[in-house]
Amino acid sequence: MAGRIRDVDIALVRERSPIADVIGEHIQLRSAGGGNLKGLCPFHDEKSPSFNVTPERGMFYCFGCSEGGDVITFVEKIEHLPFSEAVERLAQRAGIQLQYEQGGYVPRRDHGERARLIEAHRVAAEFYADKLFGPDAAPGRRFLSERGFERADAEMFGVGYAPAEWEALTRHLLGRGFSAEEIVKGGLSKEGRRGPIDRFRGRLIWPIRDATGDVIGFGARKLLDSDDGPKYLNTPDSPLYKKSQVLYGIDLAKREISKRAQAVIVEGYTDVMACHLAGVPTAVATCGTSFGEEHIKILRRFLLDQAEFRGEVIFTFDGDAAGQKAALRAFADEQKFVTQTYVAVQSDGLDPCDLRIKQGDAAVRDLIASREPLFQFAIRSTISRYDLRSNEGKIAALDAAAPIVAGIKDVGLRKRYAIDLDRWLGFMDERFVMQRIAEMSGSAQQGRRQRAPKAAPTDPSVRVEGELIKLAVQRPALLGPRFDALDPQAFTAPDHVALHRVITAAGGLAAAGHGGREWVDRLLEHAHEEGVRGLVTRFAVEPIHADTHAEERYARDILAAAEAMPVDRAIAQVKSRIQRLNPVEEQQEYNKLFGELVALEQQRRVLRDRVAGG
């Protein structure tokens, strides 16, 4: 197979894909001054435009939903494509022939092979769907009928039937011009003693599609007693199909997932069908594997996941011990989401399909509506294993649940669940519970840092920091070497500290040249965490609070104010130490600190004169 697309080609695609032109094909943009453009965000509903595009740096950012990035990122998100396919889409638009690092051109063998395999799967899906209504498929139709599905439902999901023959599909595909090598490589057939034979025989078939709607594999359910295989059998991993990267139903659910900012994770194909037909069109399922990190990545593209609680992921599990265990496994993955994560547990053990059969569509909708926050479920499931009638049982339950609470990333949410845990255990001593959580997690020191007062966004020093970082990203030439000489402690807000580190790692403003897209790209290369990359994008697009003609003086004033802030803090610290001294009994220390104070005051006057004098 070909390797990754060459970096030089990716850079060329960015260069020849003007971001304003590409985005302008999807939304209307108008001038926002200073060379920036503005429009209504395509990623969330809004009445006034907060979606900003900066052609000079090739970036976009929405101040309403925090989506941002470059032209490739936009195509990824708007078309719901992985990175490589977004690059290919733009390359085709710009007339660029891409090359892979290991050699080979995009249109040649590997991409021709993928197109052939996609076509073979399309033909196979049609073949299976046609066979569902033949006389031999009666067991399959009976299976669907017993589960409340009609013919129109089967057609909607493309359900089919694999004849109980050795070579039915194989002969059909060979007759349509596909080679034995192709159909075996795609997982449609497997090698037999005398050549390829059908992989699925005498089974009900569900086509598995990717987000674009292409069939890439199949799931097959056993129908016949003579079939000694597993109840469910899936396509093996192939050039098209990777079970860890596939969600059944994503092609049908993706628009509603984006629209409602909700994804419902169920366990099987019939559960997906039941949910969609019952009015829960955001349901998807994994295919022969547990829910994992790759599935999270798929959902993020449609949930518009970002650094704030937005949207929800709802897991459905049986109420039995196995279902609870599965939900607790999902808890570990929750930390990879920043949406709100829930569990919907049916106490009588019915899955959505059985629930729909016995109690109707409304019961399925009610199950999803009765969702419980996953953190709450995980904590309460843990403490339910202990006898809370004794102090010993309460302490054991607290110690078991403490790591769960301590692992919650959001500080405010962590505190609320600590309070809830105290109430559920019956201690009625919040301080004791919080202290125990800190001790059990081994993060008492971290907890103290988190409890330290943070600078409010309205703090003038934080505003100065923000404007300075913005200038360093957008107008580095205005700051010059003085920025690089700044004390790192000039930055106190976490976002500003993180971006200052990125700028330093990128070589400081000495490496920025005149800025522009190349400087922003360099910063992105050194921003290794997704959240920090988002900060780079935001500060590259956010308007500077100064008119274009006054930017030079504005930068000078902001820089001088930033230089003065560590001095101001040092003065406050020295004054505090002097006040605690007795000038008679501790004269030597007093005189030393007084000398430091005089020097600091002089330094501050110089800095303030620099601001006043321009």
Side-chain angles (χ1 to χ4, degrees):
M1 284 187 68
R4 62 190 294 273
I5 300 170
R6 297 188 311 170
D7 289 341
V8 65
D9 286 354
I10 294 173
L12 185 62
V13 166
R14 287 194 180 98
E15 180 183 333
R16 295 190 184 175
S17 303
I19 193 167
D21 293 348
V22 174
I23 295 179
E25 294 173 359
H26 298 273
I27 64 173
Q28 185 177 5
L29 296 171
R30 64 173 185 266
S31 175
N36 294 330
L37 302 169
K38 184 177 283 192
L40 289 173
C41 180
F43 303 120
H44 81 288
D45 293 330
E46 62 177 5
K47 295 181 179 179
S48 57
S50 59
F51 184 88
N52 287 253
V53 179
T54 306
E56 178 189 358
R57 289 175 289 281
M59 309 295 291
F60 75 90
Y61 189 82
C62 176
F63 292 93
C65 70
S66 301
E67 284 294 345
D70 62 11
V71 67
I72 298 174
T73 310
F74 180 83
V75 173
E76 283 183 87
K77 295 180 183 299
I78 201 72
E79 300 286 352
H80 302 301
L81 295 174
F83 178 83
S84 59
E85 292 184 24
V87 174
E88 291 166 5
R89 184 73 58 89
L90 286 169
Q92 185 178 17
R93 179 184 181 275
I96 298 170
Q97 188 178 53
L98 297 174
Q99 287 185 305
Y100 290 115
E101 285 189 336
Q102 282 81 359
Y105 293 90
V106 168
R108 292 186 182 173
R109 184 180 184 277
D110 291 299
H111 283 256
E113 177 187 83
R114 178 178 175 83
R116 291 280 295 171
L117 293 181
I118 289 289
E119 179 63 12
H121 279 73
R122 186 191 67 78
V123 172
E126 289 181 350
F127 173 85
Y128 288 138
D130 182 62
K131 295 298 181 183
L132 181 62
F133 302 104
D136 295 339
R141 294 194 297 275
R142 184 164 57 251
F143 177 94
L144 292 171
S145 178
E146 288 172 353
R147 283 154 182 77
F149 302 123
E150 302 176 354
R151 176 168 181 158
D153 304 329
E155 290 175 343
M156 173 183 173
F157 289 89
V159 183
Y161 175 74
E165 303 175 27
W166 289 102
E167 301 170 357
L169 176 65
T170 300
R171 286 196 306 269
H172 181 73
L173 291 173
L174 291 172
R176 293 288 293 269
F178 297 98
S179 69
E181 180 186 2
E182 286 174 329
I183 59 179
V184 170
K185 192 168 188 177
L188 297 165
S189 302
K190 59 184 180 179
E191 290 290 354
R193 293 179 181 177
R194 301 179 181 177
I197 59 175
D198 291 359
R199 179 169 297 277
F200 307 120
R201 301 185 300 277
R203 287 176 172 254
L204 200 60
I205 300 290
W206 282 266
I208 300 170
R209 297 181 170 88
D210 64 14
T212 68
D214 288 332
V215 179
I216 57 174
F218 296 94
R221 208 279 187 187
K222 181 167 70 172
L223 296 171
L224 307 175
D225 293 336
S226 58
D227 187 339
D228 59 358
K231 180 185 288 187
Y232 281 95
L233 189 63
N234 285 10
T235 294
D237 280 1
S238 74
L240 297 182
Y241 182 89
K242 300 288 187 294
K243 63 182 179 181
S244 64
Q245 301 173 10
V246 174
L247 285 171
Y248 175 72
I250 192 66
D251 57 309
L252 297 175
K254 65 179 183 180
R255 292 189 184 279
E256 288 297 323
I257 288 174
S258 294
K259 181 179 177 181
R260 303 185 185 202
Q262 176 200 79
V264 176
I265 314 300
V266 297
E267 293 190 333
Y269 306 121
T270 56
D271 292 330
V272 171
M273 294 176 68
C275 283
H276 280 252
L277 296 170
V280 184
T282 57
V284 294
T286 59
C287 300
T289 185
S290 58
F291 188 86
E293 189 168 353
E294 292 300 320
H295 301 117
I296 291 175
K297 291 178 182 178
I298 295 171
L299 289 181
R300 276 180 170 162
R301 297 207 298 267
F302 300 102
L303 283 169
L304 309 182
D305 202 12
Q306 54 220 287
E308 61 183 41
F309 275 166
R310 184 184 185 277
E312 55 188 33
V313 175
I314 304 170
F315 293 91
T316 63
F317 297 106
D318 294 343
D320 58 15
Q324 290 192 15
K325 188 175 181 181
L328 290 172
R329 279 199 309 270
F331 171 81
D333 283 323
E334 197 283 337
Q335 295 295 319
K336 300 186 181 76
F337 279 110
V338 290
T339 63
Q340 298 180 80
T341 311
Y342 297 86
V343 176
V345 177
Q346 184 62 23
S347 58
D348 55 13
L350 296 177
D351 59 32
C353 183
D354 290 336
L355 183 62
R356 179 172 178 259
I357 295 169
K358 294 189 177 182
Q359 300 182 31
D361 290 350
V364 177
R365 296 193 297 271
D366 289 344
L367 169 64
I368 304 306
S370 67
R371 64 199 181 279
E372 179 181 9
L374 183 54
F375 288 127
Q376 177 176 310
F377 178 85
I379 295 167
R380 300 198 72 155
S381 295
T382 298
I383 65 177
S384 68
R385 302 196 301 264
Y386 298 87
D387 181 3
L388 302 183
R389 292 171 298 180
S390 68
N391 287 331
E392 290 80 1
K394 290 179 181 180
I395 290 292
L398 172 57
D399 290 351
I404 299 175
V405 180
I408 299 174
K409 291 181 292 187
D410 182 271
V411 177
L413 196 61
R414 188 189 315 140
K415 183 175 181 180
R416 292 307 311 171
Y417 274 112
I419 294 171
D420 286 341
L421 178 58
D422 172 54
R423 178 166 51 85
W424 295 332
L425 293 174
F427 282 116
M428 308 307 290
D429 188 343
E430 295 172 7
R431 180 174 296 181
F432 168 73
V433 170
M434 290 181 181
Q435 181 180 352
R436 193 78 172 190
I437 289 170
E439 291 172 354
M440 288 300 298
S441 66
S443 59
Q445 184 177 359
Q446 178 184 356
R448 284 192 294 271
R449 287 199 302 268
Q450 289 163 341
R451 289 192 294 272
K454 294 183 179 179
T458 54
D459 187 328
S461 64
V462 173
R463 188 189 70 81
V464 169
E465 293 175 23
E467 287 298 291
L468 186 61
I469 290 289
K470 203 185 305 177
L471 287 163
V473 174
Q474 297 183 28
R475 298 285 187 270
L478 296 178
L479 300 178
R482 282 174 59 193
F483 178 90
D484 293 340
L486 275 175
D487 184 340
Q489 295 186 1
F491 303 96
T492 58
D495 288 356
H496 305 154
V497 171
L499 279 178
H500 182 255
R501 286 177 183 157
V502 169
I503 292 168
T504 302
L509 300 197
H514 294 290
R517 179 183 296 187
E518 292 79 7
W519 174 232
V520 174
D521 288 344
R522 185 177 177 87
L523 294 176
L524 289 170
E525 288 174 8
H526 289 81
H528 303 300
E529 297 177 8
E530 194 62 35
V532 181
R533 290 176 62 85
L535 288 176
V536 173
T537 302
R538 173 188 150 199
F539 278 83
V541 174
E542 187 172 341
I544 294 169
H545 295 158
D547 295 334
T548 304
H549 68 274
E551 282 183 354
E552 188 172 347
R553 180 186 176 91
Y554 182 72
R556 197 163 54 238
D557 292 349
I558 288 291
L559 185 55
E563 289 171 330
M565 288 189 299
V567 179
D568 288 338
R569 285 194 288 269
I571 288 172
Q573 290 172 359
V574 171
K575 283 183 175 179
S576 176
R577 290 167 63 190
I578 287 176
Q579 288 172 356
R580 295 194 298 269
L581 294 176
N582 185 316
V584 176
E585 298 177 358
E586 300 170 283
Q587 184 176 6
Q588 185 176 357
E589 179 67 13
Y590 184 90
N591 291 339
K592 177 185 173 185
L593 288 176
F594 191 82
E596 289 181 16
L597 180 60
V598 170
L600 286 169
E601 292 280 10
Q602 176 62 26
Q603 185 179 352
R604 182 167 61 176
R605 278 195 295 273
V606 171
L607 292 171
R608 287 183 173 174
D609 289 345
R610 185 182 295 171
V611 174

